[in-house]
């Protein structure tokens, strides 16, 4: 079809953002019907009189988010979205529209708690540890934090030494609310933010608030082990916990519709551990399901800000118009896990439950660190830091993928690349996961079996291991992959 | 009876400590029979050829701990302890014997989480707030902490920016173990310590570990509100939670024996909120009950180190020979609640359960603060700080008591003085608790009703309010009490 997106060269907004937004709206509003073929990059840039780059970027982003589907050797087509689910007045704002940040402003990952990471001592002679919880500290702004901490510890600020606000310090909540809006498209007021001391601490509160209402919980079929422990703790096991099969574009929505669940746990921006993105069509159906059933969507945006080769996928929360999405995030990856800082964005009904106090939540995040982080965010330091880290991690990511390609060729398939601080490696060597892990250990390399993340461990998955790279140097990554190739390919 | 305790003038141990220890052993071993009258201070010091002071101090301590009972105008008598409960090989070590610290080395309180404390903003025009969670920050060693934090944030220590040991940093656990031994007589190895981010965080873990074994929990009939919330969260309500009546020498042991409980929650050094000390006789019977029934004793030693006018009451844990006592403490009062640092001492069977990992515990105490506190303890700074704080708090305590005496005379009775950072005031003015609180608020003073701490709120208690003084200046205390006298006696 013909396509002539209105572009304003005088706008502050980059061309690719204007293009992205315009095409996205046309698809959502049906002006580009489902199945319509889009003009090629070449054709569109000629027609618009602009260069290739903005068109290619806009198309890539729309494709990643599921608004466009690709048919090999044919071209790009508008995806079949259920328009009924999307009233005109509900057009999602995206982080893109609102901040107009250029593509290079992607940010590093949010959390993955390191429950499975043991200490160096217990590792013996391990040379390279592909554990997924590590972050790169070499670029941590130690001097800046020392300075901010020193300032916060002056006598005139001594209130940070007292018990703080149970919900988190108001100044920090303002910063988080504005930061989530700018970087993730999350819409919140500071009153809706509840600061926590780590993702599990935040989710523990959330499950307490949901306890009366949620008898059956649905979840992606593979989750972090700490999440699994929390499910168990709150009684979401057996028939009370419905695992949803994962497809290349995210959870199978039909399985959710049939589940009878009152809430669903999901990592839509980058599924943990498999890395897929929940498509636009499924997002709409998911939000519709939640609104219809008055069910909650628990969105753990563990590394939503941290995507290579495309701008970040906007948070599901920003598309919600029925107060059904609970958004959870953390600073453990963006900064360091040592400050113990995370957050929830509660929809108003849950905020009300929180304030009624029928929970055992204690504010375990230090007011001292909360105030220091507030200053760090307010001065723009966090943004600068994350830009720096994104480049560092992207380089590591690229080194990892290239070394895997060179060393394994057709013997391994990489899953979930392009985002976050880990990938999955699926081996076609005939070795079992257990054999892969033990042979790696014998060569002094730690890798982690992916099957442990399955909610239902009876399913037989192909042998797959998880490789975290955040805390490793580029040389470590190369050495580690070479050792693994020796260990597994002989 | 005649009494000639063996004293060694050449010993490093202070005379009063030698006396205390010798008489205590004689009573426990039956060499001084129950009901025997002890020589008066004057007689004993003449006989021993020593000054009055050590004899008076030893007697006062033995009386506070329940080894001696006083009969007005008659004298001191050996208490009736059940000797069967105390085999010779089980003689308790006390903090006193082992460290030989003089009486003046008492230390300030451990925790009282400030669940009920709201922020200044919500208080409106309150001039004096007798909330019980506040500590005095004017003497906090800010400069020293800045220096230690700066040192910890040097690049060579950057491992404190990673996820730490789930149980707490080993170096800090060594310091805590040794500190508890020296100051509280607690016997532990560093392996038994589990660092937490606050008393409730530590107790949340503990209740998770006990979940399978403890169906019925007994507890002092009045507890902190945060504790009550935890009980409720773990299902210890109704028939599963047995309130034990409080007597002047602590819980009624018969009620415990009849309870069928598998664990008991208790604050033996200084009951919260009433301030009584569990007597020596009851301690023995409590330990006996736990050993016989393979039940657990949860000892929350929230301000055990902080006693005016006597040395600290040794922890119950130090008398336990059957691994039945779980000891909980915090640094929120000794230092500041802002660092979020607490600890549990787990007996070996529970430590084993912890290591098996059937819990959702996440280490929420920052490794950065853990390392800084390790240095602060290792250098002797903590000890110096606590000596300083004890003097500051004792002065406030004395000002409070004296002002109450002058202002209220016979209209009020002080309960639970001599320890910690709060007292209770029982009013005989005929006003209800609600009236006391609202009249105080009208005069811009915040006080807190004691009845909210009752597990069974149906009991009709006399009108009693809680007055915390830790965070108030001596002038604030005087002003506050004068305003209260106007409001209530008016």
């Amino acid at each position: 079809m013909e396509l002539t997106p209105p572009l304003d060269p005088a706008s502050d907004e980059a061309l690719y953002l204007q293009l992205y937004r315009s095409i996205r709206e046309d698809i959502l509003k049906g002006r580009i019907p489902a199945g319509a073929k889009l003009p090629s990059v070449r054709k569109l840039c000629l027609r618009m009189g602009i260069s290739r780059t903005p068109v290619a970027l806009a198309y890539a982003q729309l494709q990643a988010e599921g608004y466009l589907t690709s048919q090999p050797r044919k071209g790009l087509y508008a995806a079949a979205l259920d328009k009924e689910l999307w009233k005109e007045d509900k057009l999602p704002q995206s982080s893109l529209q609102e901040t107009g940040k250029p593509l290079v402003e992607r940010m590093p990952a949010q959390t993955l708690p390191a429950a499975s990471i043991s200490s160096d001592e217990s590792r013996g002679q391990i040379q390279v540890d592909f554990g997924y919880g590590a972050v790169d500290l070499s670029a941590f702004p130690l001097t800046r934090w020392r300075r901010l901490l020193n300032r916060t510890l002056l006598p005139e600020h001594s209130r940070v030494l007292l018990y703080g606000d149970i919900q988190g310090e108001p100044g920090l909540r303002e910063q988080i609310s504005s930061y989530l809006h700018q970087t993730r498209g999350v819409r919140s007021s500071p009153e809706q933010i509840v600061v926590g001391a780590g993702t599990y601490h935040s989710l523990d509160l959330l499950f307490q608030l949901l306890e009366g209402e949620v008898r059956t919980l649905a979840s992606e079929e593979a989750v972090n082990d700490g999440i699994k422990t929390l499910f168990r703790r709150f009684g979401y096991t057996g028939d009370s916990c419905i695992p949803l099969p994962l497809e290349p574009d995210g959870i199978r929505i039909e399985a959710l519709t049939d589940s009878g669940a009152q809430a669903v746990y999901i990592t839509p921006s980058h599924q943990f551990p498999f890395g897929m993105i929940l498509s636009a069509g499924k997002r709409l159906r998911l939000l519709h399901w939640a609104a219809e059933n008055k069910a909650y969507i628990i969105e753990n945006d563990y590394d939503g800000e941290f995507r290579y080769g495309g701008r970040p996928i906007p948070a599901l929360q920003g598309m919600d118009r029925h107060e059904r999405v609970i958004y959870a995030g953390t600073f453990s990856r963006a900064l360091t896990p040592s400050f113990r800082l995370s957050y929830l964005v509660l929809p108003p009904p849950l905020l009300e439950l929180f304030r009624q106090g029928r929970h055992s939540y204690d504010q375990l995040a230090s007011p001292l660190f909360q105030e220091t982080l507030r200053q760090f965010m307010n001065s723009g330091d966090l943004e600068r830091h994350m830009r720096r880290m994104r480049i560092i991690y992207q380089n590591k990511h690229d080194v990892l993928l290239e070394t895997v390609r060179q060393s394994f060729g057709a013997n391994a398939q990489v899953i979930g690349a392009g985002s976050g601080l880990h990938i999955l490696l699926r081996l076609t060597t005939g070795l079992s996961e257990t054999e892969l892990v033990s042979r790696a250990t014998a060569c002094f390399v730690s890798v982690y079996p992916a099957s442990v993340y399955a909610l239902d461990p009876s399913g037989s998955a192909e042998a797959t291991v998880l490789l975290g790279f955040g805390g490793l140097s580029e040389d470590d990554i190369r050495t580690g992959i070479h050792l693994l190739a020796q260990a597994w390919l002989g």
Side-chain angles (χ1 to χ4, degrees), chain A:
Chain A
M1 69 178 291
E2 294 291 299
L3 196 66
T4 314
L7 296 183
D8 176 5
S11 164
D12 280 346
E13 197 175 43
L15 282 181
Y16 89 95
L17 294 175
Q18 297 184 45
L19 256 178
Y20 159 88
R21 184 165 50 81
S22 160
I23 299 174
R24 184 159 166 272
E25 283 189 27
D26 284 351
I27 293 173
L28 281 168
K29 294 183 177 167
R31 290 194 291 258
I32 300 178
K37 187 178 183 214
L38 274 84
S40 69
V41 172
R42 196 182 50 83
K43 267 191 197 159
L44 190 56
C45 66
L46 282 174
R47 182 181 321 142
M48 309 287 296
I50 57 178
S51 74
R52 273 183 74 88
T53 311
V55 179
L57 288 175
Y59 274 10
Q61 188 66 34
L62 290 163
Q63 199 184 336
E65 295 187 21
Y67 292 101
L68 299 180
T69 58
S70 156
Q71 293 186 21
R73 268 179 288 234
K74 285 183 164 178
L76 289 170
Y77 295 81
L81 306 178
D82 189 345
K83 300 305 175 319
E84 286 304 298
L85 304 182
W86 194 257
K87 301 291 177 293
E88 191 151 343
D89 62 344
K90 295 177 189 165
L91 193 65
Q93 299 192 292
S94 89
S95 56
L96 194 64
Q97 288 171 256
E98 288 155 353
T99 67
K101 296 242 171 108
L103 197 68
V104 290
E105 298 223 14
R106 292 162 313 212
M107 301 218 174
Q110 294 233 311
T111 207
L112 279 179
S116 70
I117 303 232
S118 52
S119 61
D120 284 352
E121 299 81 83
S122 69
R123 289 278 169 95
Q125 300 172 286
I126 287 300
Q127 278 185 34
V128 181
D129 185 345
F130 283 104
Y132 74 93
V135 292
D136 188 328
L137 296 173
S138 62
F140 184 83
L142 273 177
T143 309
R144 180 76 184 139
W145 268 83
R146 265 202 305 275
R147 198 168 303 145
L148 290 176
L149 272 173
N150 284 341
R151 190 191 296 166
T152 312
L153 275 176
L154 289 176
E156 57 264 39
H157 296 125
S158 66
R159 62 164 184 81
V160 303
L161 296 179
L162 295 170
Y163 284 103
D165 188 317
I166 176 110
Q167 200 176 331
E169 297 308 296
L172 177 62
R173 286 192 274 122
E174 269 173 40
Q175 289 292 331
I176 291 176
S177 178
S178 135
Y179 159 86
L180 290 179
H181 188 241
Q182 285 173 31
T183 61
R184 307 293 304 121
V186 168
R187 309 191 315 165
S188 68
S189 71
E191 287 67 42
Q192 287 174 265
I193 310 284
V194 181
V195 176
T199 300
Y200 299 147
H201 183 228
S202 289
L203 292 179
D204 184 286
L205 166 64
L206 177 60
F207 284 122
Q208 287 189 58
L209 299 179
L210 295 178
E211 224 161 4
E213 305 188 42
V214 177
R215 296 171 307 283
T216 305
L217 177 74
S219 167
E220 294 169 337
E221 65 183 337
V223 299
N224 180 285
D225 31 3
I227 299 292
K228 222 188 282 186
T229 308
L230 274 178
F231 286 177
R232 201 166 51 219
R233 172 160 187 202
F234 284 88
Y236 299 123
T237 52
D239 290 345
S240 303
C241 183
I242 314 290
L244 304 174
L246 286 163
E247 300 168 335
D249 60 346
I251 50 165
R252 190 183 300 157
I253 301 287
E254 293 77 17
L256 179 60
T257 319
D258 298 340
S259 69
Q262 291 86 37
V264 58
Y265 170 83
I266 188 168
T267 52
S269 302
H270 185 222
Q271 204 280 331
F272 183 85
F274 290 106
M276 66 273 288
I277 298 165
L278 190 69
S279 67
K282 287 193 168 177
R283 280 170 194 245
L284 292 181
R285 291 171 64 198
L286 182 59
L287 290 167
H288 179 69
W289 167 84
E292 285 282 292
N293 294 278
K294 297 230 178 298
Y296 282 112
I297 299 168
I298 305 167
E299 176 177 25
N300 184 355
D301 198 17
Y302 80 98
D303 65 359
E305 291 155 327
F306 199 27
R307 186 159 170 257
Y308 318 112
R311 72 171 195 90
I313 307 297
L316 189 58
Q317 198 268 6
M319 299 175 78
D320 177 25
R321 294 298 173 276
H322 297 276
E323 306 183 336
R324 305 321 303 174
V325 178
I326 303 140
Y327 182 87
T330 170
F331 291 101
S332 289
R333 290 232 137 172
L335 284 168
T336 141
S338 175
F339 300 146
R340 308 309 305 151
L341 290 164
S342 62
Y343 46 84
L344 283 179
V345 182
L346 291 180
L350 290 179
L351 184 63
E352 182 52 34
L353 277 183
F354 175 77
R355 290 192 171 151
Q356 286 169 13
R358 297 278 301 180
H359 55 73
S360 67
Y361 195 65
D362 194 10
Q363 185 48 265
L364 302 182
S366 167
L368 177 52
F369 285 146
Q370 290 187 57
E371 168 59 17
T372 309
L373 177 59
R374 185 197 66 73
Q375 294 177 29
F376 192 74
M377 294 175 88
N378 191 43
S379 59
D381 281 311
L382 180 65
E383 217 174 305
R384 278 187 286 279
H385 172 64
M386 289 171 93
R387 273 204 295 276
R388 199 162 46 236
M389 294 314 294
R390 182 191 42 76
I391 293 166
I392 291 173
Y393 288 138
Q394 170 136 27
N395 290 339
K396 293 183 182 189
H397 168 268
D398 295 350
V399 164
L400 176 61
L401 260 55
E402 178 57 20
T403 316
V404 165
R405 196 189 60 73
Q406 289 167 1
S407 303
F408 284 94
N411 292 304
Q413 180 195 353
V414 171
I415 299 169
S419 270
L421 303 186
H422 78 272
I423 60 164
L424 293 183
L425 207 57
R426 181 162 290 167
L427 275 296
T428 53
T429 56
L431 294 171
S432 72
E433 266 184 30
T434 316
E435 285 168 325
L436 291 173
V437 172
S438 64
R439 285 194 185 199
T441 309
C443 290
F444 310 116
V445 180
S446 285
V447 296
Y448 298 82
S451 60
V452 299
Y453 301 109
L455 275 180
D456 175 4
S458 65
S460 67
E462 290 170 86
T464 307
V465 295
L466 187 151
L467 303 182
F469 57 85
L472 297 175
S473 71
E474 296 180 16
D475 278 348
D476 284 342
I477 292 171
R478 286 192 195 94
T479 307
I481 296 299
H482 291 148
L483 287 170
L484 288 177
Q486 281 172 31
W488 296 340
L489 306 180

